[in-house]
Amino acid sequence: MNLRLNIMLALRAIMGNKLRTFLTFMIIAIGIAALVGILTAVDGIKLGITGNFSQLGANSFSVRTKGLTLRRGGSGDKKDFPAITYEQASNFKDRYTYPAIVSISNNATRMATVSHRFEKTNPNISVMGVDENYLQVSGYEMLLGRNFSIQEINAGSNVAIIGSALAERLFNARDTIVGDQVNVGNFPYRVIGVLKSKGSSMMSSDNMVLIPEQNSRSNFGKDKNVNRYVISIAVKDPKKIPFAMEEAQGLMRVVRKLRPKDDNNFELVSSDKLAATVIEQLSKVTIAATMIGIITLIGAGIGLMNIMLVSVAERTREIGISKAIGATRRNIIVQFLVETIVICQIGGVLGIIIGILFGNIVSILFKIDFIIPWLWAASGFIFCFLIGLAAGIYPALKASRLDPIEALRYE
């Protein structure tokens, strides 16, 4: 009995009971959709993270306060390193001689309420204190208005640049945003610019307010993060990043007054390294998602095995007739295995399509092109084949061992 004939017999058996066939397809489809969908979503998140961090510029890095967890006797004790102060950040900016653009910034607050006339946000707006170089170093672009002037930075003026989503929330189409006033907390600010949208991403500035860093210390001085500065540095040639980082490390040790034997109490982080760290953590999610998907498929395989055992019981007389006209045990085994694998592959194709569509919802959120995970799709086909083989082997063996005379008597 050749493979083509076995497939034709399998399709005929499948069409013999449409409801059971549909339920069987859905068991496999749900398992495959769970696996492919989750993994497609993870791939979309990875691409989104890579794209978001690349917006910071492949030619940039930052110097920030160091954080470290030490292990002592099996327990984790957090060691707090001294924050980079305004004086240290400003001193570094003035003394850094490598050809680069240097910006200093702080996080004034993460829980500000911003209002304009009768419109008011929830207390979840992030307010950053920045200098005149921040937009250029961080890769932000202006949609409306202008950047801060040096005079406004030095004077600590009450001027602000807001994110595009925040502008849409507070202003209507008739308002002239640039030049109007908003209240950030209890302080009035004149809006001088609106940032271009970066979409729904972890690096989004759409709901952010930027103010001069001198002003942030004056108006938000009670927040401890105001005195925790970050130094951002951008060089023209990405290949020179290692040299720029070496010089930055040496100068920062001098600014922090570290002795030669002292370890760094600050850290240098490049945007690509930060992205790689996040993606490395996300890889653990991929492993967990794969295990969940495989477990789901194993459950689907057990369900399929039960359905095939029912099919063997219902087709006992048919098996007896096949054996009476010369079918061997091998023919019966192959017939039932092919039938199980065909069911799995049809359900697998349906599951892969559903999984890709489901997983690409994440791509839409991250504004990424439609993803077709060829590796996971191919893996889905392989898993379907293996699950079909494993689920069908016992029912096939049971069918092949039926006594033909007893099978013909079966009612």
Side-chain angles (χ1 to χ4, degrees):
M1 199 180 287
N2 59 37
L3 181 60
R4 181 181 177 183
L5 181 57
N6 276 312
I7 293 175
M8 295 300 294
L9 289 172
L11 291 174
R12 188 185 69 180
I14 288 169
M15 295 306 295
N17 192 322
K18 293 183 175 58
L19 178 59
R20 186 171 66 198
T21 298
F22 173 76
L23 294 175
T24 308
F25 285 165
M26 291 310 299
I27 288 174
I28 300 299
I30 291 171
I32 287 292
L35 179 63
V36 175
I38 293 172
L39 296 175
T40 303
V42 170
D43 283 348
I45 293 171
K46 286 181 180 179
L47 289 174
I49 290 172
T50 304
N52 291 331
F53 278 103
S54 67
Q55 290 176 346
L56 295 177
N59 60 337
S60 65
F61 65 96
S62 61
V63 184
R64 58 185 65 201
T65 302
K66 186 176 183 180
L68 180 65
T69 299
L70 298 178
R71 296 285 180 183
R72 294 178 182 174
S75 62
D77 299 323
K78 187 176 180 181
K79 182 176 179 180
D80 292 324
F81 290 89
I84 297 176
T85 64
Y86 165 73
E87 290 75 17
Q88 292 171 346
S90 181
N91 189 3
F92 180 95
K93 182 179 178 180
D94 293 338
R95 296 174 62 179
Y96 191 68
T97 58
Y98 197 89
I101 302 172
V102 181
S103 170
I104 62 175
S105 61
N106 61 29
N107 198 319
T109 180
R110 298 180 187 273
M111 299 181 293
T113 299
V114 183
S115 60
H116 173 256
R117 296 179 186 170
F118 302 108
E119 298 293 336
K120 187 176 182 180
T121 69
N122 294 323
N124 59 357
I125 305 300
S126 180
V127 180
M128 295 282 297
V130 303
D131 63 6
E132 70 282 1
N133 295 331
Y134 181 78
L135 297 183
Q136 185 176 356
V137 172
S138 300
Y140 294 125
E141 297 181 16
M142 300 297 299
L143 177 66
L144 299 171
R146 60 175 177 83
N147 190 13
F148 299 109
S149 66
I150 296 178
Q151 291 76 16
E152 289 167 337
I153 295 295
N154 292 336
S157 304
N158 276 34
V159 291
I161 297 173
I162 63 176
S164 58
L166 190 57
E168 292 178 7
R169 173 74 176 82
L170 298 176
F171 295 88
N172 58 50
R174 296 187 301 274
D175 290 331
T176 303
I177 302 175
V178 176
D180 209 335
Q181 178 179 300
V182 296
N183 290 322
V184 182
N186 298 320
F187 304 102
Y189 285 85
R190 178 169 58 89
V191 178
I192 63 170
V194 178
L195 297 174
K196 278 188 178 179
S197 173
K198 284 197 172 184
S200 301
S201 68
M202 65 180 295
M203 302 301 297
S204 177
S205 59
D206 292 0
N207 282 295
M208 182 186 296
V209 176
L210 304 180
I211 61 177
E213 56 86 13
Q214 293 274 16
N215 182 278
S216 69
R217 288 186 291 125
S218 300
N219 292 346
F220 299 91
K222 294 182 180 180
D223 195 300
K224 63 179 181 179
N225 287 322
V226 168
N227 296 315
R228 189 181 295 271
Y229 274 75
V230 174
I231 305 168
S232 302
I233 302 166
V235 297
K236 293 182 179 179
D237 186 357
K239 295 180 181 179
K240 296 182 179 179
I241 284 282
F243 306 105
M245 292 180 74
E246 286 289 335
E247 184 158 335
Q249 177 176 268
L251 176 58
M252 199 62 192
R253 288 183 63 87
V254 174
V255 170
R256 300 273 275 185
K257 298 179 180 179
L258 298 178
R259 295 172 296 180
K261 65 178 182 178
D262 292 337
D263 294 330
N264 290 340
N265 57 5
F266 58 91
E267 59 183 353
L268 282 76
V269 181
S270 59
S271 57
D272 57 342
K273 181 180 178 182
L274 198 57
T277 301
V278 176
I279 290 175
E280 182 181 354
Q281 296 299 317
L282 196 60
S283 297
K284 298 176 182 178
V285 178
T286 303
I287 295 172
T290 304
M291 294 304 297
I292 292 170
I294 290 174
I295 292 170
T296 305
L297 278 177
I298 291 173
I302 294 172
L304 177 60
M305 182 186 294
N306 288 330
I307 289 174
M308 291 305 298
L309 286 172
V310 172
S311 178
V312 170
E314 289 181 349
R315 294 160 61 187
T316 300
R317 190 175 179 84
E318 176 190 326
I319 296 168
I321 294 172
S322 297
K323 284 195 168 186
I325 62 176
T328 63
R329 288 187 60 188
R330 182 175 180 275
N331 295 142
I332 301 298
I333 291 172
V334 171
Q335 179 184 344
F336 274 87
L337 281 180
V338 169
E339 184 176 328
T340 313
I341 291 170
V342 167
I343 291 173
C344 275
Q345 294 293 42
I346 295 174
V349 170
L350 180 61
I352 289 169
I353 294 172
I354 295 172
I356 290 174
L357 293 176
F358 171 77
N360 273 281
I361 294 174
V362 175
S363 301
I364 295 172
L365 295 176
F366 277 88
K367 296 187 176 180
I368 302 168
D369 293 337
F370 193 86
I371 300 172
I372 299 179
W374 298 109
L375 176 60
W376 300 126
S379 300
F381 279 111
I382 295 172
F383 278 130
C384 281
F385 178 83
L386 295 177
I387 291 296
L389 191 63
I393 190 70
Y394 177 68
L397 288 173
K398 184 176 181 180
S400 70
R401 290 169 181 163
L402 290 175
D403 184 87
I405 296 176
E406 294 296 328
L408 285 170
R409 291 176 180 173
Y410 184 82
E411 295 294 336

